[in-house]
């Protein structure tokens, strides 16, 4: 399924097919334990050899093939979502040499629309969006790729600090070259499964992951790491194309750690309408 929300999951960019499950959108509030320490998240498990091998393969694939899979001029590389709305400041995602209505143009505009939706919609109804949901907040994005969506959301949402991460150094180098001029926006090398070791606890108000979680070899480690870095009341936002098994792993991990599900929304039609990715029924 494809997911979005406060515990949300985006459509997967590099999936050849989505499988039988439909995209979904989740919103989950991280109800953290009280200061008296009445409950604590489970200790992270050590990744198995097969998980580590898969993680290395995914990293190698991105390093060697991402430039061929996604148009060079586009820096927002997701399936996008046509939600029937005008995004703020579309000029921020316009790029020289990209023709209107072209594939690259749709990637930029509808990809930005998905970021805007994720960063402003706390519940299931798009009509109840809150443009100030991230205003003045600290955001950690996991798997930012070329960083165009990070740069866009940091400005239009008015974040205080936006830390965009990826586990491929070449991607971080591209991000810094293209987008490092915006105050409060930082690009850092970090593994999605090692957030608990990479960042101090209770450091961020939001963890955002768009179209990447389905590739993670250990979804539970990602969820536990997100719980670790989120402040009390913080939110995990995911949008993705997930198999039933991946979806169950995420939901089980959320329950184990203590997240509360706020919303679960199907974005299949909005993704299909863009025409960049096929959503199988």
């Amino acid at each position: 399924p494809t997911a979005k929300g406060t515990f949300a999951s985006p459509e997967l960019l590099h999936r050849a097919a989505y499988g039988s499950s439909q995209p979904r959108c989740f919103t989950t509030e991280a109800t953290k334990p009280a200061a008296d320490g009445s409950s604590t998240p489970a200790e992270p498990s050590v990744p198995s050899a097969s998980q580590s091998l898969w993680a290395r393969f995914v990293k190698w694939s991105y390093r060697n093939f991402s430039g061929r899979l996604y148009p060079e001029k586009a820096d927002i590389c997701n399936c996008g979502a046509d939600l029937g709305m005008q995004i703020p400041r579309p000029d921020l995602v316009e790029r020289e040499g990209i023709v209107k209505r072209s594939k690259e143009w749709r990637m930029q505009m509808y990809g930005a629309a998905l970021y805007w939706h994720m960063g402003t919609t706390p519940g299931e109804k798009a009509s109840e969006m809150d443009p100030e949901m991230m205003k003045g907040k600290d955001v950690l994005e996991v798997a930012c790729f070329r960083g165009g969506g990070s740069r866009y959301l940091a400005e239009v949402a008015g974040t205080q600090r936006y830390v965009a991460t990826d586990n491929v150094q070449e991607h971080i180098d591209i991000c810094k070259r293209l987008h490092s001029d915006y105050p409060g926006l930082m690009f850092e090398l970090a593994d999605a499964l090692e957030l608990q070791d990479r960042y101090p606890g209770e450091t961020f108000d939001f963890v955002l992951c768009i179209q990447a979680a389905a590739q993670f070899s250990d979804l539970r480690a990602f969820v536990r790491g997100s719980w670790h870095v989120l402040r009390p009341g913080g939110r995990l936002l995911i949008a993705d194309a997930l198999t039933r098994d991946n979806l169950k792993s995420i939901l089980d991990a959320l329950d184990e750690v203590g997240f509360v599900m706020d919303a679960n929304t199907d974005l299949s039609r909005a993704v299909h309408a863009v025409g960049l990715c096929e959503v199988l029924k």
Side-chain angles (χ1 to χ4, degrees):
T2 305
K4 156 270 159 190
T6 305
F7 151 63
S9 50
E11 307 81 23
L12 190 56
L13 298 178
H14 34 271
R15 284 282 289 273
Y18 282 89
S20 59
S21 51
Q22 291 298 306
R24 296 182 182 175
C25 188
F26 305 108
T27 303
T28 304
E29 182 172 359
T31 27
K32 303 277 283 187
D36 60 7
S38 55
S39 64
T40 56
E43 290 296 320
S45 58
V46 178
S48 66
S50 61
Q51 290 172 340
S52 299
L53 183 61
W54 173 249
R56 291 198 297 271
F57 172 74
V58 171
K59 185 183 295 186
W60 176 84
S61 299
Y62 269 115
R63 179 177 293 115
N64 291 280
F65 298 113
S66 62
R68 305 175 193 176
L69 293 175
Y70 308 110
E72 184 178 351
K73 294 177 182 178
D75 54 34
I76 303 181
C77 302
N78 61 51
C79 296
D82 184 354
L83 298 160
M85 64 179 182
Q86 175 68 43
I87 62 171
R89 295 295 308 278
D91 58 291
L92 292 177
V93 294
E94 293 176 352
R95 299 290 179 264
E96 184 178 354
I98 292 183
V99 179
K100 192 172 184 180
R101 305 299 178 187
S102 65
K103 178 180 180 179
E104 292 92 338
W105 183 88
R106 284 181 288 146
M107 290 176 68
Q108 294 295 112
M109 293 299 165
Y110 292 112
L114 180 57
Y115 268 89
W116 177 242
H117 179 65
M118 295 291 293
T120 61
T121 311
E124 295 187 349
K125 297 181 179 180
S127 60
E128 297 177 357
M129 66 180 298
D130 177 8
E132 297 191 350
M133 188 174 88
M134 287 187 171
K135 187 175 182 179
K137 302 297 184 181
D138 295 326
V139 178
L140 174 67
E141 182 179 354
V142 177
C144 66
F145 198 19
R146 294 177 183 168
S150 313
R151 171 65 176 81
Y152 175 74
L153 189 59
E155 180 159 355
V156 295
T159 60
Q160 172 69 27
R161 182 171 60 118
Y162 196 116
V163 180
T165 67
D166 201 279
N167 68 342
V168 177
Q169 182 62 55
E170 288 83 351
H171 294 170
I172 296 300
D173 293 341
I174 291 173
C175 291
K176 289 182 177 180
R177 176 169 54 84
L178 295 177
H179 312 296
S180 61
D181 60 337
Y182 188 73
L185 175 62
M186 293 161 278
F187 294 98
E188 298 180 354
L189 184 70
D191 193 300
L193 309 186
E194 299 174 359
L195 299 180
Q196 189 161 330
D197 299 325
R198 182 69 170 78
Y199 297 101
E202 301 186 1
T203 308
F204 298 96
D205 302 296
F206 294 92
V207 173
L208 172 67
C209 183
I210 295 182
Q211 295 181 347
Q215 294 279 20
F216 298 162
S217 60
D218 187 349
L219 288 168
R220 281 177 165 78
F222 166 62
V223 170
R224 283 191 298 264
S226 298
W227 172 274
H228 169 75
V229 302
L230 283 169
R231 295 178 176 128
R235 291 181 168 182
L236 169 60
L237 312 176
I238 302 174
D240 218 322
L242 301 170
T243 65
R244 287 187 175 89
D245 287 343
N246 279 348
L247 175 59
K248 185 178 185 302
S249 294
I250 288 182
L251 295 178
D252 289 347
L254 289 169
D255 185 61
E256 290 170 7
V257 172
F259 279 99
V260 175
M261 179 72 70
D262 284 344
N264 177 348
T265 307
D266 186 345
L267 294 179
S268 301
R269 290 186 177 181
V271 173
H272 181 73
V274 177
L276 294 173
C277 300
E278 183 179 5
V279 180
L280 302 180
K281 296 182 179 180

